[in-house]
Amino acid sequence: LAEHEGSCPRATIECPNEGCCHSRNRGFMNLHLEICEHAEVACPYPGCDARLPCKGLDAHMQTSHPEQSPATLLLRAYSRIASLEAAASERAASRGGVAADVVGV
């Protein structure tokens, strides 16, 4: 019986991640673990060895690597797109064409 209880997919178990209070049937725990905000993750920034709960990754990126935060990267991408569109418009105007033809819109 003890062996069965240790592997029974219907037994309720607690999430093993520190700070998480969710309990699930053993058979469904893997689904919870995939989205658990308390799961430990490694910082994706090269050279940073930080390991922290998933829910703290955004704050870590904003404070430790602000140049790599999603908001900064998005603003940088929008700026690059605007720059490319302006260059395409200038190029098209100098050739007597339409900018949409150049950027593929």
Side-chain angles (χ1 to χ4, degrees):
L1 182 63
E3 184 179 321
H4 173 74
E5 288 177 348
S7 63
C8 178
R10 293 187 182 184
T12 300
I13 59 172
E14 294 181 3
C15 177
N17 293 322
E18 185 176 334
C20 185
C21 59
H22 286 17
S23 296
R24 296 283 184 268
N25 288 349
R26 180 178 279 113
F28 293 108
M29 183 55 75
N30 61 332
L31 298 175
H32 167 72
L33 292 174
E34 291 177 12
I35 61 167
C36 181
E37 62 183 20
H38 295 277
E40 186 177 88
V41 295
C43 174
Y45 191 76
C48 182
D49 296 328
R51 295 194 62 79
L52 57 155
C54 181
K55 69 178 187 174
L57 184 58
D58 190 46
H60 169 77
M61 292 299 289
Q62 289 178 13
T63 58
S64 300
H65 315 293
E67 70 284 358
Q68 294 295 319
S69 74
T72 301
L73 294 174
L74 188 58
L75 288 173
R76 205 178 295 156
Y78 280 137
S79 176
R80 180 71 177 136
I81 290 168
S83 173
L84 291 170
E85 287 176 339
S89 293
E90 290 174 18
R91 187 172 178 191
S94 71
R95 293 184 179 179
V98 179
D101 293 337
V102 178
V103 290
V105 178

